[in-house]
Amino acid sequence: MKEFLKKNKDLFEEYLKSKLDNLNCSHEPITTAVKYALDGGKRIRPILCILAAEFMGRKFSDIKDLAVGVECIHNYSLCHDDLPCMDNDDLRHGKPSTHKQFGEGMGVLAGDALLNLAFEFMLEGEHSLDYYKAVSYISKMSGILGMVGGQCIDIASDEFRQKSLQEIVELNMLKTACLFKAALVGSSISLGANIDEIASLELYAEKLGLIFQIVDDILDVTSKAEILGKNINSDLNQNKTTYLSICGMEKAKQDILELEIEAIAAVAKYGDRANNLIKLAKFLTNRSN
Amino acid sequence: MKEFLKKNKDLFEEYLKSKLDNLNCSHEPITTAVKYALDGGKRIRPILCILAAEFMGRKFSDIKDLAVGVECIHNYSLCHDDLPCMDNDDLRHGKPSTHKQFGEGMGVLAGDALLNLAFEFMLEGEHSLDYYKAVSYISKMSGILGMVGGQCIDIASDEFRQKSLQEIVELNMLKTACLFKAALVGSSISLGANIDEIASLELYAEKLGLIFQIVDDILDVTSKAEILGKNINSDLNQNKTTYLSICGMEKAKQDILELEIEAIAAVAKYGDRANNLIKLAKFLTNRSN
């Protein structure tokens, strides 16, 4: 899996770079800030787009603009999440977060630029109706019924009371799983996936998102900043309730394994088409950064 | 013109309300904050969408989702513009600005939600290829080559040096005229406007945007907060260079009249089709709030 991830990450990086090189925008420092914010990270969401293409018997070039779009959305959310009035994080992708590097106003604007750019990239050129249906789906997953809704639950409730486990699962579902769905399901919709396929991939992406977030909780207390590229103990320092803080380490690890089984079960019936989806679930369950 | 504006504003408000009532999002306070941020204002941009429909021999229902989309984009920009790290304004549409009412984090998120919502609304349902071309055009006008680029010039340069008149014109073009173009030209593209029509409407929208912004500069020093619904003398207090501060009142007023003539000249050849566009240019030249 590691080799597969590396190869496809490189493919994505090359295409992203070509898109950014063609931006043709002379207003500085916004272009620099946008490129800075987009630089780094594991590119899990673009990989999910590529896996959707593979699942549908297609290739990177068929979903490349959706991959760039979803990654722009992901990085805009990090940009704004790191702001002093949100999580106030000064380290991201192993370097100062965007607002630390360019100032707070530019941190807001770079995020705005990235969210807008996501739709600019996705809507460039002429496409099939399935493709536009996919962009519409992605917009729903990243909005107030999806990722932004999760961000809102996150910052609105912390100060006043501890969240319940059910609320945490909903939060993880919205904040993390929805963008996984945007990438995986959105890409498959653009390639004409049927209702059954969409339902299976949705279930898989939801389980994968929950796995990803609980592993994040665990790494936040067990790893090092140099390995993660972001500050550790940030949940604790912000007095945030997480899946881990409610369930404890043992149950959290158990639940991850259960979610892994459920993720795999969601797509196992597709045989070879789902091979790499299954491998990714195993890989993310055991990731160390 | 006043009656025309009132009638079409009401039409828009009713449709916007129906869209917001159907949001079905239970995560509070984000839904309330989004509705709060969208409440108020002159609705010039939706009016421009309606005028584009009229120009093309069509009606409100043909461009209604673009009108809602562009107004969401406009209000997200106000939401973020008012943040403490940007213009730090506490009064907007005659009430506390969104971050004042809901806190800074929610001010960021409400803006994010609105920008995202713009694309959700515009991309819902199935449309013609011309329509999607229009949404793509709107996304360009609101991004770093358009409105966000203008915001960036605005906050990036103020502290260090005074801007030149040429830079101010570019700033006004990006920050204000680009969203006027998104509304007017975007809507006309969605209805199949030809190259000539697009070029004429672009020119008209650019002149109208410049008029609008210089009148704004003037009202900022001559009007009252109760009439404008936002703080006065804000440019002066922020030590902002404006068209007015460079040219002085007499030349600014002269230039507005010249721009009005140019705006009208851009569309005069279309006769009756452009009647209300011409009336709007006259109306905005003489507006008092």
Side-chain angles (χ1 to χ4, degrees), chain A residues 26-41:
Chain A
S26 60
H27 319 311
E28 284 302 355
I30 191 73
T31 320
T32 308
V34 160
K35 289 178 182 172
Y36 181 90
L38 271 173
D39 184 34

Side-chain angles (χ1 to χ4, degrees), chain B residues 168-184:
Chain B
I168 289 292
V169 171
E170 194 200 358
L171 173 62
N172 291 349
M173 196 65 99
L174 293 171
K175 215 178 143 172
T176 307
C178 274
L179 215 51
F180 280 21
K181 283 162 77 173
L184 185 70

Side-chain angles (χ1 to χ4, degrees), chain A residues 24-25 27 30 76 80 105 109 112-113 116 120 123-124 132 135-136 139-140 142-145 152 155 170 174, chain B residues 24 27 30 76 80 105 109 112-113 116 120 123-124 132 135-136 139-140 142-145 152 155 170 174:
Chain A
N24 260 336
C25 172
H27 319 311
I30 191 73
Y76 114 74
H80 283 182
L109 279 184
D112 294 346
N116 199 90
E120 289 182 62
L123 291 168
E124 247 166 24
Y132 291 115
V135 182
S136 172
S139 77
K140 295 277 175 214
S142 62
I144 62 173
L145 294 172
C152 172
I155 72 159
E170 194 198 0
L174 293 170
Chain B
N24 260 336
H27 319 311
I30 191 73
Y76 114 75
H80 283 182
L109 279 184
D112 294 346
N116 199 89
E120 290 182 62
L123 292 168
E124 247 166 23
Y132 292 114
V135 182
S136 172
S139 77
K140 295 276 175 216
S142 63
I144 62 173
L145 294 172
C152 173
I155 71 160
E170 194 200 358
L174 293 171

Side-chain angles (χ1 to χ4, degrees), chain B residues 16 32 58 109 122 149 184 196 206 220 228 232 275:
Chain B
L16 176 64
T32 309
R58 305 285 279 275
L109 279 184
M122 290 192 289
L184 185 70
D196 262 6
E206 285 173 5
D220 187 52
L228 290 185
I232 58 162
N275 261 350

Side-chain angles (χ1 to χ4, degrees), chain A residues 211 255-265 281-282 285-286:
Chain A
I211 292 171
D255 288 352
I256 291 173
L257 292 178
E258 211 157 289
L259 286 164
E260 183 195 345
I261 293 169
E262 290 170 3
I264 292 171
K282 289 177 182 170
T285 299
N286 298 300

